[in-house]
Amino acid sequence: ARSKDSVDRMDAIRKAMAAVKEVQSDIVDVSIGESARAAADAFLGFETPIEGIRGWKTGWKEFDEDFDGLSKEQDIFAFAGAPNSGKSAIVTNLAVNLLINNPQCGVIYHIMDDPRKIAYAKIMSCLTGIPIKMILRAAVDVLPYPHLMKGYKPAREWMLEAMNDGRLIIKGQEMGVGTGVATRLIDTTTQKTGRKLVYIADSLHNVEDEAGGDDRRIRFTNVASWAQTVSDTRRITMIFTCELTKAGMKERPRLHDTAETSKIAYAFKAIGMVYNDMHVMRANARTFWV
């Protein structure tokens, strides 16, 4: 009744259908027999041998070994760090690695603090090793140089093919950064492609709470709750970058340095802290990239 147009009505119907699908028979079955059957099924899953890992391959050896890969559904992960410490680089590389290592995986890359042409350049930089600023000026900095074109051309073709196949969906701030927009993006992509999705957003603190409210803490709590609900009902994995408090930017960060820590700590499966010596120590840094 509150829908403004046909798009809102279809969105309400899709949400209702998703909620109906989530109502499993064991939720209302309070019998003793159901409890025993559920336990037997669980043990069967525990004890059935598998080849490789259960989750998506990330291409990061230690992560795949310790976490059994990136879980395929109903989990939320975050990478928190100071500005310019490498958070976006990590999630961009993760998006590329997921697509390269998992043919059945689909990735939504939603960049919320830049136009999406920056996302294109970031992914191309991951694939080629060519700096982002050179990708953005390819006509001058890449195309005239055959040794750079050897990597640039196949990377561009791979990226366009992944997007045409519906395996890679890239959206920017132009589309909007509200929770409703993000939900429609996830639902539409699932319906169109039929793929198991990983939703990657850069960053969580840029997501707008469409329920309203100007209080930052309340808004963030609502956004974190939204992410938890979407992850559970759509059965997808979600990955966000996160901000630190000002105190957390002065040294190696810890969990309590994450902005609005309490809600993140309870809603998310794991939080990776990103630290870069050069951000804090500048010329005195002992660890840095060349």
Side-chain angles (χ1 to χ4, degrees):
R2 293 191 299 272
S3 298
K4 298 176 183 177
D5 51 36
S6 60
V7 174
D8 280 353
R9 285 193 289 276
M10 287 304 300
D11 187 43
I13 292 170
R14 280 194 294 267
K15 288 178 180 178
M17 291 174 64
V20 170
K21 290 178 181 178
E22 286 301 305
V23 179
Q24 304 294 332
S25 60
D26 60 356
I27 293 177
V28 295
D29 189 344
V30 296
S31 67
I32 295 173
E34 184 280 329
S35 179
R37 289 193 300 273
D41 289 343
F43 278 110
L44 182 63
F46 299 157
E47 296 163 7
T48 300
I50 64 166
E51 293 185 8
I53 58 177
R54 288 180 173 81
W56 299 121
K57 294 180 180 178
T58 67
W60 300 337
K61 183 174 180 292
E62 292 81 2
F63 185 96
D64 287 344
E65 289 177 351
D66 292 343
F67 285 85
D68 204 18
L70 183 74
S71 58
K72 294 184 177 181
E73 61 178 38
Q74 294 180 292
D75 276 328
I76 311 174
F77 295 85
F79 292 93
N84 301 313
S85 61
K87 303 185 301 297
S88 296
I90 286 178
V91 297
T92 307
N93 274 280
L94 179 55
V96 170
N97 286 1
L98 288 171
L99 292 170
I100 290 175
N101 291 291
N102 307 278
Q104 301 305 315
C105 180
V107 173
I108 297 175
Y109 187 103
H110 194 175
I111 183 170
M112 296 184 168
D113 52 0
D114 280 307
R116 64 177 167 184
K117 68 178 183 180
I118 302 298
Y120 301 150
K122 286 182 175 181
I123 290 177
M124 283 293 291
S125 182
C126 288
L127 290 166
T128 63
I130 300 172
I132 294 171
K133 62 182 180 180
M134 291 177 62
I135 299 290
L136 291 169
R137 289 168 33 97
V140 175
D141 294 335
V142 179
L143 271 58
Y145 304 100
H147 68 288
L148 294 179
M149 283 298 293
K150 287 180 181 179
Y152 180 89
K153 186 176 180 180
R156 181 186 60 194
E157 292 174 353
W158 176 89
M159 181 175 163
L160 291 174
E161 182 180 357
M163 296 182 74
N164 286 326
D165 290 345
R167 295 188 61 220
L168 173 62
I169 295 87
I170 299 176
K171 298 294 183 179
Q173 62 183 187
E174 305 97 330
M175 186 189 73
V177 295
T179 53
V181 170
T183 304
R184 287 196 291 273
L185 171 61
I186 291 167
D187 289 344
T188 300
T189 304
T190 301
Q191 292 162 11
K192 293 284 187 181
T193 69
R195 293 184 179 276
K196 199 73 173 174
L197 296 178
V198 176
Y199 174 81
I200 299 176
D202 187 8
S203 72
L204 182 72
H205 290 81
N206 286 105
V207 182
E208 294 291 339
D209 171 27
E210 293 191 358
D214 297 326
D215 185 282
R216 174 182 169 86
R217 186 171 292 275
I218 293 175
R219 178 175 67 83
F220 182 77
T221 298
N222 291 342
V223 169
S225 298
W226 161 81
Q228 194 168 20
T229 299
V230 169
S231 176
D232 287 342
T233 58
R234 274 63 174 180
R235 305 185 75 86
I236 66 171
T237 290
M238 306 179 81
I239 299 169
F240 298 91
T241 58
C242 292
E243 297 176 3
L244 295 177
T245 61
K246 290 183 178 180
M249 297 182 192
K250 298 177 181 179
E251 56 186 13
R252 187 178 294 275
R254 298 291 184 264
L255 181 60
H256 63 265
D257 295 317
T258 308
E260 276 72 47
T261 302
S262 58
K263 186 61 183 177
I264 287 183
Y266 284 103
F268 290 12
K269 181 74 170 182
I271 301 173
M273 293 297 175
V274 183
Y275 175 73
N276 186 331
D277 256 355
M278 293 191 72
H279 180 80
V280 176
M281 302 176 69
R282 303 298 181 185
N284 295 322
R286 291 176 293 176
T287 304
F288 53 89
W289 292 104
V290 177

